[in-house]
Amino acid sequence: MDLILAAVIASTLTGALTAVGAFPVLLGKKPSEQFNDTLLGFAAGVMLAASFFSLIVPALAIAGETYGEGPIPGAIAVVGILLGAVTISVLDRLIPHKHFITGHEGPHTAKIAGVWLFVFAIAIHNFPEGMAVGVAYGSGETENAFALALGIGLQNLPEGLAVAVGLLSVGYSKLKSFTVAALTGLFEPVGGLFGGIFVNISALLLPWGLVFAAGAMLFVISHEIIPETHRRGHHQRATAGLMIGLVLMLFLDVWLVA
């Protein structure tokens, strides 16, 4: 129970940083499209590095200790990553949601409209992030988990700002844009609780939980975040942001885990 509680608390704190990132909209500070895409690129870089260095690499090490050398650790990583990606892909198709640029995705329904479609879109992003933090803290690997949580928290800052700015751009007030962006962070502790419970069912599930969370995040990076940063023609800025986010997360992981 202590590990599950730690998973929920950590994922709640990382989710809360979404509100911190959204706060500038209350002050009337609206960043340029170039700056916004650079920040989202940074978020993608942090998530990309976290997926490998804080989730996949530890999962391979744990699976190697459990099953020894051979194809099994690699097979667990391959299957787990693909399962995570497929799960988010299915949710992306089943849950009606709306992106600021590409518009409506998933099934159409008259019962869910307006701001809730944007909320569901962010939920699909935030759930795997919270799950990754929950799996890491639920595993008891404190140093690795802290590096991951710090990275996820850092990338939630530009994500929160991007959500709030996106809502402003489609006509919502400053207060409503901030409130909705802040509330989307609440999906992370839900994912954290799920991840913490999952890896505490059995020690054998730990590497599976780590690579599943990594696959879910990799899908979000490739399917949503990177395309979003490139649609308005700011490729170089977005790529620069991604590279900075990636190497920063790499540095934090090496420094904090070593």
Side-chain angles (χ1 to χ4, degrees):
M1 288 301 296
D2 288 343
L3 291 176
I4 295 174
L5 179 61
V8 173
I9 292 174
S11 54
T12 300
L13 291 175
T14 58
L17 289 177
T18 305
V20 177
F23 184 74
V25 301
L26 293 177
L27 306 176
K29 303 291 184 180
K30 185 176 179 179
S32 65
E33 286 185 352
Q34 295 95 325
F35 184 69
N36 199 42
D37 286 344
T38 302
L39 288 180
L40 280 178
F42 173 84
V46 170
M47 289 177 67
L48 185 61
S51 296
F52 282 92
F53 301 121
S54 297
L55 294 172
I56 296 174
V57 171
L60 288 170
I62 294 168
E65 292 174 1
T66 304
Y67 300 102
E69 296 181 359
I72 294 181
I76 289 174
V78 169
V79 175
I81 290 170
L82 293 178
L83 282 175
V86 168
T87 299
I88 300 301
S89 177
V90 170
L91 291 176
D92 195 61
R93 292 175 180 272
L94 294 181
I95 298 175
H97 59 285
K98 190 174 184 179
H99 295 284
F100 301 119
I101 295 178
T102 57
H104 193 285
E105 293 185 7
H108 286 268
T109 173
K111 295 181 180 180
I112 303 174
V115 70
W116 286 107
L117 291 174
F118 292 112
V119 171
F120 290 157
I122 304 305
I124 296 172
H125 284 208
N126 286 1
F127 184 83
E129 294 171 8
M131 183 175 61
V133 175
V135 167
Y137 270 91
S139 69
E141 301 284 338
T142 308
E143 291 180 344
N144 218 18
F146 178 73
L148 176 64
L150 181 60
I152 295 295
L154 285 174
Q155 67 88 35
N156 275 342
L157 294 171
E159 272 196 359
L161 181 60
V163 173
V165 170
L167 290 169
L168 276 176
S169 69
V170 295
Y172 291 98
S173 67
K174 293 178 182 178
L175 180 59
K176 192 169 186 178
S177 298
F178 168 78
T179 302
V180 173
L183 290 176
T184 59
L186 295 178
F187 289 101
E188 294 210 6
V190 176
L193 177 62
F194 176 84
I197 292 174
F198 180 80
V199 296
N200 274 276
I201 293 173
S202 170
L204 295 177
L205 292 177
L206 176 55
W208 288 97
L210 290 169
V211 292
F212 181 92
M217 289 212 301
L218 288 171
F219 179 88
V220 168
I221 295 166
S222 178
H223 186 68
E224 302 289 354
I225 299 180
I226 292 178
E228 193 78 16
T229 63
H230 286 216
R231 285 194 180 101
R232 289 174 289 208
H234 307 135
H235 305 70
Q236 290 188 334
R237 289 176 177 267
T239 301
L242 184 147
M243 296 303 298
I244 292 171
L246 189 149
V247 297
L248 176 62
M249 185 61 200
L250 170 62
F251 172 77
L252 290 174
D253 193 78
V254 172
W255 174 39
L256 294 173
V257 178

